[in-house]
Amino acid sequence: MKDREHLPMYGVGPLYVYVIAALTLAAVLLRNHSFLAAGRLDALRVPLLILGILLILSGIALWVYAVPISKIDDGIRENRLVTAGAYALVRNPIYSAAMIVCTGVILIVGNAWFFVLPLFFWLFLTVLMKHTEEKWLKNLYGTEYEAYCKRVNRCWPWFPREERI
């Protein structure tokens, strides 16, 4: 790439977020429909509510850590690989934040039929990233990006692994 070229500012992220948000909204709207009544988990309502709220707050915190605090926009404009801050915990913190928030909402919905959605969110993010942004980043940053991938999870925030020499 030429020096002034860089990754797209938004990449495929909006597509991912729109799809998982639409599926989450569908779950909210359909949660009490009669044909889904067998999946209602009324006995677990309070624990699911608490866990859902914690996930939503965690997702929001991750997004704040990724965008204004880690300043990903500056990294993209300056054509540098951002690996600090939220990006030291997960390679795609903005998309992961959306996935975590939507998973929290699914838990609050409290219908077991929709518990497959977080698995779909993860799978969709994995496939989408492998076939788009990860290819772009590997072409742009080469071995630096490959080493980063070995240390940091793609979708779920976790402590970075140590590099082995």
Side-chain angles (χ1 to χ4, degrees), residues 23 26-28 30-32 36 106 109-118:
L23 290 170
V28 169
L30 295 172
R31 72 183 177 271
N32 291 322
L36 297 170
I106 294 297
V109 163
N111 190 310
W113 292 113
F114 298 117
F115 287 2
V116 70
L117 287 176

Side-chain angles (χ1 to χ4, degrees), residues 83-95:
T83 60
Y87 294 83
L89 302 174
V90 64
R91 294 195 311 252
N92 300 289
I94 298 170
Y95 311 146

Side-chain angles (χ1 to χ4, degrees), residues 128-141:
L128 194 61
M129 290 301 101
K130 283 179 103 170
H131 294 286
T132 59
E133 291 186 16
E134 287 184 6
K135 284 183 178 183
W136 304 338
L137 289 162
K138 187 176 177 187
N139 287 335
L140 190 58
Y141 300 110

